[in-house]
Amino acid sequence: MAALLQKTVDEVKKDMDEVGVPYNPDIPIFISERYSRALGKCYYQTRDNKRIATKIGISKEIIDYGDWDLIRNVICHELIHSADDCVYCYHGGVWKVYADKMNRYKNYHISRITHVPDEMHEHYNNYHFIIECQGCHTKSYFQRSTKTVEAVKKGQKTIKCKKCGSKDFKVIER
Ligand SMILES: [Zn+2]
Ligand SMILES: [Zn+2]
């Protein structure tokens, strides 16, 4: 999962470079299990009277849920917060200018929304088993442990992905 996050981060940075939207290139990005409803957070510190971004956390809930369009939008939202000229902006000023630029030229849907949408949150909490295709990362949700879930847990290649044909699946631990 960390590799997939890194891949998405690299893609987002490439998109930002292409339209000239700045970010802190060295900022570490990690998956946080501690956010109740926050999608992501950009952390700051003040050094020599200057505010700088130090790290970005992305909610494990949205990573597990697997809506990659939302994930890339959240990564981009937080990366814009990390830019030197955005550290005091919150969701206004140049932050908004940069977000609009990504939406307009790179087909992002960055908004000021900072919390997991209700519908997604309820869905996530009602389904306790998630199976992920290792080929295309499509997820399937189960309310209880089924034969399919058990087979995947045991490493049996009994199901095939309808999207990419892969037989390699993983149960995501909640
Ligand atoms: Zn924000
Ligand atoms: Zn697949």
Side-chain angles (χ1 to χ4, degrees), residues 133-138 161-166 168-169:
C133 167
Q134 298 302 287
C136 65
H137 301 286
T138 297
C161 178
K162 286 190 188 104
K163 256 194 194 164
C164 75
S166 171
D168 196 11
F169 288 84

Side-chain angles (χ1 to χ4, degrees), residues 77-78 81 91 95 114:
H77 175 129
E78 301 306 335
H81 279 312
H91 298 132
W95 185 92
T114 53

Side-chain angles (χ1 to χ4, degrees), residues 67-119:
D67 178 339
W68 285 94
D69 189 54
L70 175 67
I71 292 164
R72 85 178 184 136
N73 280 293
V74 171
I75 291 168
C76 193
H77 175 129
E78 301 306 335
L79 276 171
I80 298 173
H81 279 312
S82 79
D84 283 345
D85 53 352
C86 287
V87 295
Y88 293 106
C89 289
Y90 299 99
H91 298 132
V94 261
W95 185 92
K96 195 177 177 312
V97 173
Y98 293 146
D100 288 345
K101 215 170 168 184
M102 293 306 291
N103 293 347
R104 186 164 172 191
Y105 297 109
K106 286 288 172 188
N107 213 12
Y108 278 65
H109 311 98
I110 299 164
S111 67
R112 300 171 202 206
I113 295 168
T114 53
H115 288 82
V116 178
D118 286 344
E119 214 184 274

